[in-house]
Amino acid sequence: GAVVSQHPSRVICKSGTSVKIECRSLDFQATTMFWYRQFPKQSLMLMATSNEGSKATYEQGVEKDKFLINHASLTLSTLTVTSAHPEDSSFYICSARVGLAAGELFFGEGSRLTVL
Amino acid sequence: GIQVEQSPPDLILQEGANSTLRCNFSDSVNNLQWFHQNPWGQLINLFYIPSGTKQNGRLSATTVATERYSLLYISSSQTTDSGVYFCAVSTSGTYKYIFGTGTRLKVLA
């Protein structure tokens, strides 16, 4: 299957700082990537759809100024959590879709963010 | 939006037992995937199955799109099968994948 790499896997930061998470498709080009958030013992919640060369589409209730998404190339999407607060602590997972439309999703390893 | 419900929410099995996990969805979908989330959080692709039946070793899956459900069968379960199983569906028009509520499986030695 296709390989998606996410970095960093764990990050601890102080309240008020910004954190950037990278998501790379290693062996295919991904015009669309998706960012999910997962709280303990819960399902994955879609945050936003990242499209190469255009603005991300955010799900209802997700603050676009808090969670900045950039998809600058066909193999890289980044999520920046700005002015992080303890309530932003969570597991963030990216995924990339192979092909167009309803193609198969492959996921990165996830990034566990802890804001102190 | 579409609702995706999985059952049962929790399942405990003795090693060697068989099980069936169910995924119900409230609207038409154009794709469906099954994932296994391991204890480290990694999502492992199990099946890409918009319709029909597929098998991979001890696992098999069936999707009946017209009746809005999919089933994941695990035979001869092993302790390494423990974790959370998710189905995720995408709908025509949005092509976003929405995750189900998950089934937490524990296989005892």
Side-chain angles (χ1 to χ4, degrees), chain A residues 26-46:
Chain A
L26 298 186
D27 53 359
F28 67 102
Q29 293 184 329
T31 55
T32 303
M33 292 185 176
F34 301 92
W35 287 93
Y36 290 84
R37 182 175 184 177
Q38 187 179 31
F39 292 106
K41 298 191 184 300
Q42 293 189 22
S43 185
L44 280 73
M45 181 189 76
L46 179 64

Side-chain angles (χ1 to χ4, degrees), chain B residues 62-74:
Chain B
T62 296
T63 297
V64 185
T66 53
E67 296 186 22
R68 300 182 183 173
Y69 75 89
S70 183
L71 301 174
L72 177 68
Y73 305 96
I74 303 175

Side-chain angles (χ1 to χ4, degrees), chain A residues 4 34 36 38 40-46 49 59 91 93 97 101-110 112, chain B residues 6 30-31 33 35 37 39-43 45 47-48 86 88 90 94-102 104:
Chain A
V4 177
F34 301 92
Y36 290 84
Q38 187 179 31
K41 298 191 184 300
Q42 293 189 22
S43 185
L44 280 73
M45 181 189 76
L46 179 64
T49 302
E59 294 300 301
F91 190 57
I93 319 174
R97 185 169 63 199
E104 188 172 0
L105 278 189
F106 289 88
F107 281 82
E109 305 91 334
R112 193 165 302 281
Chain B
Q6 292 183 241
N30 57 16
N31 211 344
Q33 287 187 241
F35 298 92
Q37 187 170 39
W40 298 272
Q42 174 77 53
L43 283 158
N45 288 41
F47 293 102
Y48 172 73
F86 290 106
S90 70
T94 67
Y95 299 107
K96 300 183 294 189
Y97 274 86
I98 303 302
F99 274 71
T101 49
R104 190 171 299 272

Side-chain angles (χ1 to χ4, degrees), chain A residues 2 10 30 54 59 82 85 89 105 107 109:
Chain A
R10 290 180 178 273
S54 64
E59 294 300 301
T82 62
H85 292 284
S89 299
L105 278 189
F107 281 82
E109 305 91 334

